[in-house]
Amino acid sequence: QVQVAESGGGLVQAGGSLRLSCAASGRTLNSPAMSWFRQVLGKEREFVAGVGRITLGNYYADAVKGRFTISRDSAKNTIDLQMNGLKPEDTATYYCAVRLSFITRNSEDYDYWGQGTQVTVSS
């Protein structure tokens, strides 16, 4: 079993910054794909950013490209999401997800999830 834990959410004004962190632990993990998703009540969970399994390439949703930066410590199976230039439309619950295979943008493909951390951006 794999445990996934997020931290770092909060309330910030528009234009501000937040940093989210995620750590995966438990069974032996062989550089899994790790991604951030977000969800607003009543809407589908959407891909935000992720790091691939083998090449460790970074992937971003168009809505956050140029504002968010994902980074990874493969030795520790942790990822961070630096969020700059936050907008009210970034308000959501952010989830960290782990996939024991190649990265995808489909939330249904992921094997393990954290509990989520709330990000609220005021205008």
Side-chain angles (χ1 to χ4, degrees):
Q1 190 69 358
V2 175
Q3 292 77 45
V4 181
E6 308 104 333
S7 61
L11 172 64
V12 66
Q13 289 188 333
S17 299
L18 283 174
R19 189 176 184 88
L20 305 182
S21 297
C22 171
S25 62
R27 58 173 281 183
T28 301
L29 294 170
N30 183 21
S31 296
M34 297 182 70
S35 295
W36 289 98
F37 289 79
R38 65 187 181 187
Q39 188 171 25
V40 176
L41 195 62
K43 294 188 176 181
E44 292 188 354
R45 195 167 292 189
E46 64 174 3
F47 177 84
V48 176
V51 182
R53 181 185 181 200
I54 302 298
T55 64
L56 302 181
N58 296 346
Y59 302 84
Y60 297 96
D62 289 342
V64 307
K65 202 171 293 183
R67 299 187 297 123
F68 292 9
T69 302
I70 192 168
S71 59
R72 176 172 185 161
D73 184 334
S74 294
K76 299 179 181 179
N77 287 318
T78 62
I79 56 172
D80 289 338
L81 185 68
Q82 178 64 42
M83 305 185 293
N84 298 328
L86 283 162
K87 305 175 181 180
E89 51 263 44
D90 294 318
T91 296
T93 301
Y94 284 68
Y95 296 90
C96 180
V98 174
R99 184 171 194 248
L100 304 178
S101 184
F102 299 102
I103 191 171
T104 76
R105 296 171 184 253
N106 185 352
S107 62
E108 295 182 0
D109 293 335
Y110 282 75
D111 302 296
Y112 301 99
W113 291 85
Q115 294 297 310
T117 184
Q118 180 66 34
V119 171
T120 303
V121 185
S122 62
S123 57

